[in-house]
Amino acid sequence: GQNIDQPTEMTATEGAIVQINCTYQTSGFNGLFWYQQHAGEAPTFLSYNVLDGLEEKGRFSSFLSRSKGYSYLLLKELQMKDSASYLCAVSLNTGGFKTIFGAGTRLFVKA
Amino acid sequence: EADIYQTPRYLVIGTGKKITLECSQTMGHDKMYWYQQDPGMELHLIHYSYGVNSTEKGDLSSESTVSRIRTEHFPLTLESARPSHTSQYLCASSDWGQEGGYTFGSGTRLTVV
């Protein structure tokens, strides 16, 4: 079967760095995405990893290890507006490029 | 401005009614998707399409149907709404390469009473 695991909740302090981990067990891996979703809103795309290594985009970085089925999202210089759910998603190339989503990690940023 | 639009934003409807949730995108994307999401839960794929006249069922069993007669339009129809259909429905689109991820609409929050 297909499975994506991420912590349910995390709390961090404004200005700090936080790492959100994601492990996956899927067949036909085609790439891994991270999305941000504020309460009551639609997810917005943050990053995409298809090869092993680190992808950096401003305050956000995402890492992938395909052999370990592992990814993390790193958020630096946390701001209050970063309080949201962060969804790890895997694109499969079996049955045609479907994407499955984890349940998300709710991040609370405190002052 | 290229975007993806869903209507209605909120809908309260009685059991047994037929409803259609609208989704349109102006980005020229070939791939379109419908996901269902309950509060605090993961997104579940219910239908997807790779282009005009292409539709497939997703992983979540659903009494809904979709059509893709035009590239930009991907409506979702519930023939007979039930309280178990109460949820948020998210439409999304992507290009073939997917490097840019999915672009999601604002969603339709459906309540069946």
Side-chain angles (χ1 to χ4, degrees), chain A residues 2 30 33 35 37 39-45 47-48 57 85 87 91-92 94-104 106, chain B residues 9-10 31 33 35 37 40-43 45 48 50 57-59 88 90 96-107 109:
Chain A
Q2 324 282 13
N30 195 54
F33 299 87
Y35 289 85
Q37 185 176 27
E41 297 182 11
T44 56
F45 169 75
S47 68
Y48 176 57
K57 253 191 198 182
S85 285
L87 313 181
S91 174
L92 312 174
T94 55
F97 298 104
K98 293 187 294 186
T99 297
I100 58 172
F101 286 79
R106 291 177 62 190
Chain B
R9 185 77 176 88
Y10 301 94
K31 296 181 180 178
Y33 315 84
Y35 282 88
Q37 185 183 33
M41 304 296 287
E42 62 262 51
L43 283 76
L45 180 66
Y48 59 101
Y50 293 147
K57 283 183 180 283
D59 300 317
Q88 170 151 272
L90 291 165
W96 275 102
Q98 294 192 94
E99 292 85 3
Y102 287 8
T103 302
F104 283 88
S106 298
R109 189 166 296 279

Short mmCIF file of all heavy atoms in Angstrom, two decimals, chain A residues 2 30 33 35 37 39-45 47-48 57 85 87 91-92 94-104 106, chain B residues 9-10 31 33 35 37 40-43 45 48 50 57-59 88 90 96-107 109:
data_model
loop_
_atom_site.label_atom_id
_atom_site.label_comp_id
_atom_site.label_asym_id
_atom_site.label_seq_id
_atom_site.Cartn_x
_atom_site.Cartn_y
_atom_site.Cartn_z
N GLN A 2 0.22 2.39 -0.01
CA GLN A 2 0.90 3.66 -0.03
C GLN A 2 0.73 4.33 1.33
O GLN A 2 -0.37 4.35 1.88
CB GLN A 2 0.30 4.58 -1.11
CG GLN A 2 -0.15 3.87 -2.36
CD GLN A 2 1.01 3.53 -3.27
OE1 GLN A 2 2.16 3.60 -2.87
NE2 GLN A 2 0.71 3.16 -4.50
N ASN A 30 7.75 9.28 -8.07
CA ASN A 30 8.04 10.18 -9.19
C ASN A 30 8.48 11.56 -8.71
O ASN A 30 8.93 12.36 -9.52
CB ASN A 30 6.79 10.33 -10.05
CG ASN A 30 7.08 10.93 -11.40
OD1 ASN A 30 7.94 10.44 -12.13
ND2 ASN A 30 6.41 12.00 -11.74
N PHE A 33 6.53 16.52 -2.95
CA PHE A 33 6.12 17.92 -2.84
C PHE A 33 5.90 18.28 -1.37
O PHE A 33 5.54 17.44 -0.56
CB PHE A 33 4.78 18.14 -3.55
CG PHE A 33 4.79 17.85 -5.02
CD1 PHE A 33 4.56 16.58 -5.49
CD2 PHE A 33 5.00 18.87 -5.94
CE1 PHE A 33 4.55 16.30 -6.84
CE2 PHE A 33 5.00 18.60 -7.30
CZ PHE A 33 4.76 17.32 -7.75
N TYR A 35 3.56 21.30 0.61
CA TYR A 35 2.55 22.34 0.48
C TYR A 35 2.31 22.97 1.85
O TYR A 35 2.43 22.32 2.88
CB TYR A 35 1.22 21.77 -0.03
CG TYR A 35 1.22 21.33 -1.47
CD1 TYR A 35 1.67 20.06 -1.83
CD2 TYR A 35 0.78 22.18 -2.48
CE1 TYR A 35 1.67 19.66 -3.16
CE2 TYR A 35 0.77 21.79 -3.80
CZ TYR A 35 1.23 20.52 -4.13
OH TYR A 35 1.22 20.12 -5.45
N GLN A 37 -0.69 24.91 4.04
CA GLN A 37 -2.14 25.12 4.05
C GLN A 37 -2.54 25.83 5.33
O GLN A 37 -2.46 25.28 6.43
CB GLN A 37 -2.89 23.78 3.94
CG GLN A 37 -4.40 23.95 3.82
CD GLN A 37 -5.13 22.63 3.61
OE1 GLN A 37 -4.67 21.57 4.01
NE2 GLN A 37 -6.29 22.70 2.97
N ALA A 39 -5.40 27.45 7.82
CA ALA A 39 -6.71 26.94 8.22
C ALA A 39 -7.82 27.52 7.34
O ALA A 39 -7.90 28.73 7.13
CB ALA A 39 -6.98 27.29 9.68
N GLY A 40 -8.64 26.64 6.81
CA GLY A 40 -9.76 27.05 5.99
C GLY A 40 -9.41 27.46 4.57
O GLY A 40 -10.30 27.89 3.82
N GLU A 41 -8.15 27.32 4.20
CA GLU A 41 -7.73 27.71 2.85
C GLU A 41 -7.22 26.50 2.08
O GLU A 41 -7.04 25.41 2.62
CB GLU A 41 -6.64 28.78 2.94
CG GLU A 41 -7.12 30.07 3.59
CD GLU A 41 -6.04 31.13 3.61
OE1 GLU A 41 -4.99 30.96 2.95
OE2 GLU A 41 -6.24 32.14 4.30
N ALA A 42 -6.98 26.70 0.79
CA ALA A 42 -6.45 25.64 -0.05
C ALA A 42 -4.93 25.54 0.12
O ALA A 42 -4.27 26.51 0.49
CB ALA A 42 -6.79 25.91 -1.51
N PRO A 43 -4.37 24.36 -0.13
CA PRO A 43 -2.90 24.23 -0.08
C PRO A 43 -2.22 25.08 -1.15
O PRO A 43 -2.76 25.26 -2.24
CB PRO A 43 -2.68 22.74 -0.36
CG PRO A 43 -3.98 22.07 -0.10
CD PRO A 43 -5.02 23.09 -0.43
N THR A 44 -1.03 25.57 -0.82
CA THR A 44 -0.21 26.27 -1.81
C THR A 44 1.14 25.58 -1.92
O THR A 44 1.71 25.14 -0.91
CB THR A 44 -0.01 27.76 -1.46
OG1 THR A 44 0.56 27.84 -0.15
CG2 THR A 44 -1.30 28.52 -1.50
N PHE A 45 1.64 25.47 -3.12
CA PHE A 45 2.87 24.75 -3.42
C PHE A 45 4.09 25.46 -2.82
O PHE A 45 4.24 26.67 -2.94
CB PHE A 45 3.01 24.66 -4.94
CG PHE A 45 4.35 24.19 -5.43
CD1 PHE A 45 4.69 22.86 -5.34
CD2 PHE A 45 5.25 25.07 -6.00
CE1 PHE A 45 5.92 22.41 -5.80
CE2 PHE A 45 6.48 24.64 -6.47
CZ PHE A 45 6.82 23.30 -6.37
N SER A 47 7.51 23.39 -2.53
CA SER A 47 8.75 22.84 -3.10
C SER A 47 8.49 21.50 -3.75
O SER A 47 7.49 20.84 -3.48
CB SER A 47 9.81 22.69 -2.01
OG SER A 47 9.43 21.68 -1.10
N TYR A 48 9.45 21.11 -4.60
CA TYR A 48 9.38 19.84 -5.31
C TYR A 48 10.77 19.25 -5.37
O TYR A 48 11.73 19.92 -5.79
CB TYR A 48 8.86 20.09 -6.72
CG TYR A 48 8.82 18.88 -7.63
CD1 TYR A 48 8.10 17.74 -7.28
CD2 TYR A 48 9.47 18.88 -8.87
CE1 TYR A 48 8.04 16.64 -8.11
CE2 TYR A 48 9.42 17.78 -9.72
CZ TYR A 48 8.70 16.66 -9.34
OH TYR A 48 8.63 15.57 -10.17
N LYS A 57 14.87 27.55 -1.16
CA LYS A 57 14.04 28.61 -1.74
C LYS A 57 13.78 29.64 -0.65
O LYS A 57 12.82 29.54 0.10
CB LYS A 57 12.69 28.02 -2.18
CG LYS A 57 12.46 27.86 -3.63
CD LYS A 57 10.99 27.52 -3.85
CE LYS A 57 10.78 26.92 -5.21
NZ LYS A 57 9.36 26.64 -5.46
N SER A 85 -0.59 24.33 8.40
CA SER A 85 -0.29 22.90 8.21
C SER A 85 0.64 22.75 7.03
O SER A 85 0.51 23.48 6.03
CB SER A 85 -1.58 22.12 7.95
OG SER A 85 -2.33 21.96 9.12
N LEU A 87 1.97 19.99 4.34
CA LEU A 87 1.59 18.70 3.77
C LEU A 87 2.73 18.15 2.94
O LEU A 87 3.26 18.83 2.05
CB LEU A 87 0.35 18.85 2.87
CG LEU A 87 -0.83 19.65 3.41
CD1 LEU A 87 -1.95 19.67 2.38
CD2 LEU A 87 -1.32 19.08 4.71
N SER A 91 4.25 12.04 -5.59
CA SER A 91 3.71 11.78 -6.92
C SER A 91 4.12 10.38 -7.33
O SER A 91 5.29 10.02 -7.23
CB SER A 91 4.25 12.82 -7.91
OG SER A 91 3.85 12.49 -9.22
N LEU A 92 3.14 9.59 -7.78
CA LEU A 92 3.40 8.21 -8.16
C LEU A 92 3.39 8.11 -9.67
O LEU A 92 2.62 8.81 -10.34
CB LEU A 92 2.31 7.29 -7.59
CG LEU A 92 1.97 7.46 -6.12
CD1 LEU A 92 0.77 6.59 -5.77
CD2 LEU A 92 3.16 7.10 -5.26
N THR A 94 2.76 5.16 -11.06
CA THR A 94 1.95 3.99 -11.35
C THR A 94 0.50 4.43 -11.49
O THR A 94 0.03 5.27 -10.73
CB THR A 94 2.02 2.96 -10.21
OG1 THR A 94 1.64 3.61 -8.99
CG2 THR A 94 3.40 2.39 -10.08
N GLY A 95 -0.19 3.91 -12.48
CA GLY A 95 -1.57 4.33 -12.68
C GLY A 95 -1.67 5.79 -13.05
O GLY A 95 -2.68 6.42 -12.86
N GLY A 96 -0.55 6.34 -13.55
CA GLY A 96 -0.60 7.67 -14.13
C GLY A 96 -0.44 8.87 -13.23
O GLY A 96 -1.37 9.63 -13.05
N PHE A 97 0.70 9.10 -12.63
CA PHE A 97 1.07 10.35 -12.00
C PHE A 97 0.06 10.88 -10.99
O PHE A 97 -0.20 12.07 -10.93
CB PHE A 97 1.31 11.43 -13.07
CG PHE A 97 2.44 11.07 -13.98
CD1 PHE A 97 2.18 10.61 -15.27
CD2 PHE A 97 3.75 11.16 -13.57
CE1 PHE A 97 3.21 10.26 -16.12
CE2 PHE A 97 4.79 10.81 -14.41
CZ PHE A 97 4.52 10.35 -15.69
N LYS A 98 -0.52 10.00 -10.20
CA LYS A 98 -1.36 10.47 -9.12
C LYS A 98 -0.48 10.96 -7.99
O LYS A 98 0.66 10.55 -7.83
CB LYS A 98 -2.26 9.34 -8.62
CG LYS A 98 -3.30 8.90 -9.63
CD LYS A 98 -4.27 7.91 -9.04
CE LYS A 98 -3.60 6.61 -8.69
NZ LYS A 98 -4.57 5.59 -8.23
N THR A 99 -1.02 11.85 -7.19
CA THR A 99 -0.30 12.36 -6.02
C THR A 99 -1.09 12.01 -4.78
O THR A 99 -2.30 12.24 -4.72
CB THR A 99 -0.11 13.88 -6.11
OG1 THR A 99 0.71 14.17 -7.24
CG2 THR A 99 0.55 14.42 -4.85
N ILE A 100 -0.42 11.43 -3.79
CA ILE A 100 -1.06 11.14 -2.50
C ILE A 100 -0.47 12.07 -1.44
O ILE A 100 0.70 12.45 -1.51
CB ILE A 100 -0.90 9.67 -2.09
CG1 ILE A 100 0.58 9.28 -1.99
CG2 ILE A 100 -1.62 8.76 -3.06
CD1 ILE A 100 0.79 7.90 -1.39
N PHE A 101 -1.31 12.44 -0.50
CA PHE A 101 -0.94 13.43 0.51
C PHE A 101 -0.88 12.81 1.90
O PHE A 101 -1.69 11.94 2.25
CB PHE A 101 -1.98 14.56 0.54
CG PHE A 101 -1.89 15.50 -0.62
CD1 PHE A 101 -2.42 15.16 -1.85
CD2 PHE A 101 -1.29 16.74 -0.48
CE1 PHE A 101 -2.33 16.02 -2.94
CE2 PHE A 101 -1.21 17.62 -1.55
CZ PHE A 101 -1.73 17.25 -2.78
N GLY A 102 0.06 13.29 2.70
CA GLY A 102 0.05 12.97 4.12
C GLY A 102 -1.01 13.81 4.82
O GLY A 102 -1.59 14.73 4.23
N ALA A 103 -1.25 13.50 6.09
CA ALA A 103 -2.28 14.21 6.85
C ALA A 103 -1.85 15.62 7.24
O ALA A 103 -2.68 16.42 7.68
CB ALA A 103 -2.66 13.42 8.09
N GLY A 104 -0.56 15.91 7.10
CA GLY A 104 -0.09 17.26 7.40
C GLY A 104 0.44 17.41 8.82
O GLY A 104 0.04 16.67 9.73
N ARG A 106 0.71 20.26 11.71
CA ARG A 106 0.26 21.60 12.12
C ARG A 106 1.38 22.27 12.91
O ARG A 106 1.79 21.78 13.96
CB ARG A 106 -1.00 21.50 12.96
CG ARG A 106 -2.21 21.04 12.17
CD ARG A 106 -3.43 20.89 13.05
NE ARG A 106 -3.82 22.15 13.67
CZ ARG A 106 -4.74 22.25 14.62
NH1 ARG A 106 -5.32 21.17 15.09
NH2 ARG A 106 -5.06 23.42 15.13
N ARG B 9 -18.55 28.72 -3.23
CA ARG B 9 -17.57 28.63 -2.15
C ARG B 9 -18.14 27.85 -0.98
O ARG B 9 -17.45 27.06 -0.33
CB ARG B 9 -17.19 30.06 -1.70
CG ARG B 9 -16.10 30.11 -0.68
CD ARG B 9 -14.73 29.88 -1.32
NE ARG B 9 -13.68 30.03 -0.32
CZ ARG B 9 -13.25 29.02 0.46
NH1 ARG B 9 -13.79 27.83 0.36
NH2 ARG B 9 -12.29 29.23 1.34
N TYR B 10 -19.41 28.07 -0.68
CA TYR B 10 -20.13 27.34 0.36
C TYR B 10 -21.48 26.88 -0.20
O TYR B 10 -22.09 27.61 -0.99
CB TYR B 10 -20.38 28.22 1.60
CG TYR B 10 -19.13 28.75 2.23
CD1 TYR B 10 -18.63 30.00 1.90
CD2 TYR B 10 -18.44 28.00 3.18
CE1 TYR B 10 -17.47 30.49 2.48
CE2 TYR B 10 -17.28 28.48 3.77
CZ TYR B 10 -16.80 29.72 3.41
OH TYR B 10 -15.66 30.20 3.99
N LYS B 31 -3.79 18.51 -16.91
CA LYS B 31 -4.19 17.65 -15.80
C LYS B 31 -5.06 18.41 -14.81
O LYS B 31 -4.72 19.52 -14.41
CB LYS B 31 -2.97 17.11 -15.07
CG LYS B 31 -2.08 16.21 -15.89
CD LYS B 31 -0.92 15.74 -15.04
CE LYS B 31 0.00 14.83 -15.83
NZ LYS B 31 1.16 14.41 -15.02
N TYR B 33 -7.77 17.69 -11.18
CA TYR B 33 -8.03 16.73 -10.10
C TYR B 33 -9.13 17.26 -9.19
O TYR B 33 -9.28 18.47 -9.02
CB TYR B 33 -6.77 16.55 -9.24
CG TYR B 33 -5.48 16.39 -10.01
CD1 TYR B 33 -4.78 17.49 -10.47
CD2 TYR B 33 -4.96 15.12 -10.27
CE1 TYR B 33 -3.60 17.35 -11.18
CE2 TYR B 33 -3.78 14.98 -11.00
CZ TYR B 33 -3.11 16.10 -11.44
OH TYR B 33 -1.93 15.96 -12.14
N TYR B 35 -10.12 16.62 -5.13
CA TYR B 35 -9.78 16.03 -3.84
C TYR B 35 -10.86 16.36 -2.83
O TYR B 35 -11.52 17.40 -2.91
CB TYR B 35 -8.45 16.58 -3.31
CG TYR B 35 -7.22 15.98 -3.96
CD1 TYR B 35 -6.69 16.53 -5.12
CD2 TYR B 35 -6.58 14.88 -3.40
CE1 TYR B 35 -5.56 15.99 -5.71
CE2 TYR B 35 -5.45 14.32 -3.99
CZ TYR B 35 -4.95 14.89 -5.14
OH TYR B 35 -3.83 14.35 -5.72
N GLN B 37 -11.40 16.73 1.36
CA GLN B 37 -10.62 16.91 2.60
C GLN B 37 -11.54 17.25 3.76
O GLN B 37 -12.26 18.25 3.71
CB GLN B 37 -9.58 18.01 2.44
CG GLN B 37 -8.67 18.15 3.65
CD GLN B 37 -7.67 19.29 3.52
OE1 GLN B 37 -7.95 20.31 2.91
NE2 GLN B 37 -6.48 19.12 4.11
N GLY B 40 -8.57 18.86 9.24
CA GLY B 40 -7.43 18.23 9.90
C GLY B 40 -7.01 16.90 9.32
O GLY B 40 -6.14 16.23 9.90
N MET B 41 -7.60 16.52 8.21
CA MET B 41 -7.30 15.21 7.62
C MET B 41 -6.61 15.38 6.27
O MET B 41 -6.53 16.48 5.73
CB MET B 41 -8.60 14.42 7.42
CG MET B 41 -9.42 14.25 8.69
SD MET B 41 -8.56 13.28 9.94
CE MET B 41 -8.69 11.64 9.21
N GLU B 42 -6.10 14.25 5.75
CA GLU B 42 -5.40 14.31 4.48
C GLU B 42 -6.36 14.48 3.32
O GLU B 42 -7.56 14.22 3.44
CB GLU B 42 -4.54 13.07 4.26
CG GLU B 42 -5.31 11.76 4.20
CD GLU B 42 -5.27 11.05 5.54
OE1 GLU B 42 -5.58 11.69 6.58
OE2 GLU B 42 -4.92 9.85 5.55
N LEU B 43 -5.83 14.92 2.20
CA LEU B 43 -6.60 15.03 0.98
C LEU B 43 -6.74 13.64 0.35
O LEU B 43 -5.78 12.88 0.29
CB LEU B 43 -5.90 15.94 -0.04
CG LEU B 43 -5.98 17.44 0.19
CD1 LEU B 43 -5.05 17.89 1.30
CD2 LEU B 43 -5.63 18.18 -1.10
N LEU B 45 -7.92 11.69 -3.17
CA LEU B 45 -8.20 11.87 -4.59
C LEU B 45 -9.48 11.14 -4.95
O LEU B 45 -9.62 9.94 -4.70
CB LEU B 45 -7.03 11.32 -5.41
CG LEU B 45 -7.15 11.43 -6.93
CD1 LEU B 45 -7.13 12.89 -7.37
CD2 LEU B 45 -6.02 10.66 -7.59
N TYR B 48 -9.67 12.28 -11.44
CA TYR B 48 -8.66 13.06 -12.13
C TYR B 48 -8.82 12.92 -13.64
O TYR B 48 -9.52 12.01 -14.12
CB TYR B 48 -7.25 12.68 -11.68
CG TYR B 48 -6.85 11.24 -11.88
CD1 TYR B 48 -6.05 10.87 -12.96
CD2 TYR B 48 -7.23 10.26 -10.97
CE1 TYR B 48 -5.65 9.55 -13.12
CE2 TYR B 48 -6.83 8.94 -11.13
CZ TYR B 48 -6.03 8.59 -12.20
OH TYR B 48 -5.64 7.29 -12.37
N TYR B 50 -6.54 13.67 -17.48
CA TYR B 50 -5.30 14.04 -18.16
C TYR B 50 -5.54 14.90 -19.39
O TYR B 50 -4.59 15.30 -20.05
CB TYR B 50 -4.51 12.81 -18.55
CG TYR B 50 -3.98 12.05 -17.37
CD1 TYR B 50 -3.86 10.67 -17.40
CD2 TYR B 50 -3.61 12.71 -16.21
CE1 TYR B 50 -3.39 9.98 -16.30
CE2 TYR B 50 -3.14 12.04 -15.12
CZ TYR B 50 -3.03 10.67 -15.16
OH TYR B 50 -2.56 10.00 -14.08
N LYS B 57 -11.29 7.44 -11.99
CA LYS B 57 -11.63 7.48 -10.57
C LYS B 57 -10.37 7.42 -9.74
O LYS B 57 -9.39 6.76 -10.09
CB LYS B 57 -12.53 6.29 -10.22
CG LYS B 57 -13.98 6.45 -10.65
CD LYS B 57 -14.81 5.26 -10.19
CE LYS B 57 -16.25 5.40 -10.62
NZ LYS B 57 -16.98 6.35 -9.77
N GLY B 58 -10.41 8.10 -8.60
CA GLY B 58 -9.28 8.09 -7.68
C GLY B 58 -9.39 6.97 -6.67
O GLY B 58 -10.05 5.95 -6.92
N ASP B 59 -8.78 7.18 -5.53
CA ASP B 59 -8.70 6.13 -4.52
C ASP B 59 -9.90 6.11 -3.58
O ASP B 59 -10.18 5.12 -2.93
CB ASP B 59 -7.42 6.30 -3.70
CG ASP B 59 -6.19 6.23 -4.58
OD1 ASP B 59 -6.16 5.36 -5.46
OD2 ASP B 59 -5.27 7.04 -4.39
N GLN B 88 -15.06 19.24 2.47
CA GLN B 88 -14.53 20.27 1.57
C GLN B 88 -14.03 19.58 0.31
O GLN B 88 -13.33 18.58 0.38
CB GLN B 88 -13.39 21.05 2.23
CG GLN B 88 -12.65 21.97 1.23
CD GLN B 88 -12.05 23.19 1.84
OE1 GLN B 88 -12.69 24.23 1.96
NE2 GLN B 88 -10.80 23.07 2.22
N LEU B 90 -11.81 20.12 -3.09
CA LEU B 90 -10.76 20.95 -3.68
C LEU B 90 -10.47 20.50 -5.10
O LEU B 90 -10.21 19.33 -5.34
CB LEU B 90 -9.48 20.86 -2.85
CG LEU B 90 -9.53 21.49 -1.46
CD1 LEU B 90 -8.36 21.00 -0.62
CD2 LEU B 90 -9.50 23.00 -1.56
N TRP B 96 2.11 19.02 -17.29
CA TRP B 96 2.58 17.65 -17.40
C TRP B 96 3.83 17.39 -16.57
O TRP B 96 4.01 16.33 -16.02
CB TRP B 96 2.85 17.28 -18.87
CG TRP B 96 1.61 16.82 -19.53
CD1 TRP B 96 0.83 17.53 -20.37
CD2 TRP B 96 1.00 15.55 -19.36
NE1 TRP B 96 -0.25 16.78 -20.75
CE2 TRP B 96 -0.18 15.57 -20.15
CE3 TRP B 96 1.31 14.41 -18.63
CZ2 TRP B 96 -1.03 14.48 -20.24
CZ3 TRP B 96 0.45 13.32 -18.72
CH2 TRP B 96 -0.70 13.36 -19.51
N GLY B 97 4.73 18.38 -16.48
CA GLY B 97 5.98 18.17 -15.76
C GLY B 97 5.81 18.16 -14.26
O GLY B 97 6.61 17.57 -13.55
N GLN B 98 4.80 18.80 -13.75
CA GLN B 98 4.48 18.84 -12.32
C GLN B 98 5.54 19.52 -11.46
O GLN B 98 5.42 19.53 -10.25
CB GLN B 98 4.24 17.43 -11.75
CG GLN B 98 3.03 16.74 -12.30
CD GLN B 98 2.68 15.50 -11.50
OE1 GLN B 98 1.87 15.54 -10.59
NE2 GLN B 98 3.32 14.39 -11.80
N GLU B 99 6.60 20.06 -12.07
CA GLU B 99 7.62 20.69 -11.24
C GLU B 99 7.05 21.85 -10.44
O GLU B 99 7.56 22.20 -9.39
CB GLU B 99 8.79 21.21 -12.11
CG GLU B 99 9.62 20.13 -12.76
CD GLU B 99 9.03 19.65 -14.06
OE1 GLU B 99 8.00 20.20 -14.49
OE2 GLU B 99 9.60 18.72 -14.64
N GLY B 100 6.02 22.46 -10.97
CA GLY B 100 5.39 23.56 -10.27
C GLY B 100 4.31 23.13 -9.31
O GLY B 100 3.62 23.96 -8.73
N GLY B 101 4.15 21.84 -9.14
CA GLY B 101 3.16 21.34 -8.21
C GLY B 101 1.74 21.56 -8.71
O GLY B 101 1.51 21.92 -9.87
N TYR B 102 0.81 21.36 -7.82
CA TYR B 102 -0.59 21.59 -8.12
C TYR B 102 -0.96 23.03 -7.77
O TYR B 102 -0.45 23.59 -6.79
CB TYR B 102 -1.49 20.70 -7.27
CG TYR B 102 -1.52 19.24 -7.64
CD1 TYR B 102 -0.67 18.69 -8.59
CD2 TYR B 102 -2.42 18.37 -7.02
CE1 TYR B 102 -0.71 17.35 -8.90
CE2 TYR B 102 -2.47 17.03 -7.32
CZ TYR B 102 -1.61 16.52 -8.26
OH TYR B 102 -1.66 15.19 -8.56
N THR B 103 -1.84 23.60 -8.56
CA THR B 103 -2.49 24.85 -8.19
C THR B 103 -3.90 24.49 -7.78
O THR B 103 -4.64 23.87 -8.56
CB THR B 103 -2.52 25.85 -9.36
OG1 THR B 103 -1.18 26.11 -9.79
CG2 THR B 103 -3.16 27.15 -8.92
N PHE B 104 -4.26 24.86 -6.55
CA PHE B 104 -5.57 24.51 -6.01
C PHE B 104 -6.53 25.69 -6.12
O PHE B 104 -6.13 26.86 -5.99
CB PHE B 104 -5.46 24.13 -4.54
CG PHE B 104 -4.92 22.75 -4.30
CD1 PHE B 104 -3.56 22.55 -4.19
CD2 PHE B 104 -5.78 21.66 -4.17
CE1 PHE B 104 -3.04 21.28 -3.97
CE2 PHE B 104 -5.28 20.39 -3.94
CZ PHE B 104 -3.91 20.19 -3.84
N GLY B 105 -7.81 25.37 -6.31
CA GLY B 105 -8.85 26.36 -6.17
C GLY B 105 -9.13 26.60 -4.69
O GLY B 105 -8.58 25.94 -3.83
N SER B 106 -10.00 27.56 -4.42
CA SER B 106 -10.30 27.93 -3.04
C SER B 106 -11.17 26.91 -2.32
O SER B 106 -11.32 26.98 -1.11
CB SER B 106 -11.01 29.29 -3.00
OG SER B 106 -10.17 30.29 -3.54
N GLY B 107 -11.74 25.98 -3.08
CA GLY B 107 -12.53 24.91 -2.47
C GLY B 107 -14.01 25.23 -2.38
O GLY B 107 -14.43 26.39 -2.41
N ARG B 109 -17.04 24.25 0.26
CA ARG B 109 -17.38 23.57 1.52
C ARG B 109 -18.85 23.17 1.43
O ARG B 109 -19.73 24.02 1.42
CB ARG B 109 -17.13 24.50 2.71
CG ARG B 109 -17.26 23.80 4.04
CD ARG B 109 -16.68 24.62 5.17
NE ARG B 109 -15.25 24.85 5.06
CZ ARG B 109 -14.32 23.97 5.42
NH1 ARG B 109 -14.67 22.80 5.91
NH2 ARG B 109 -13.06 24.26 5.31
#
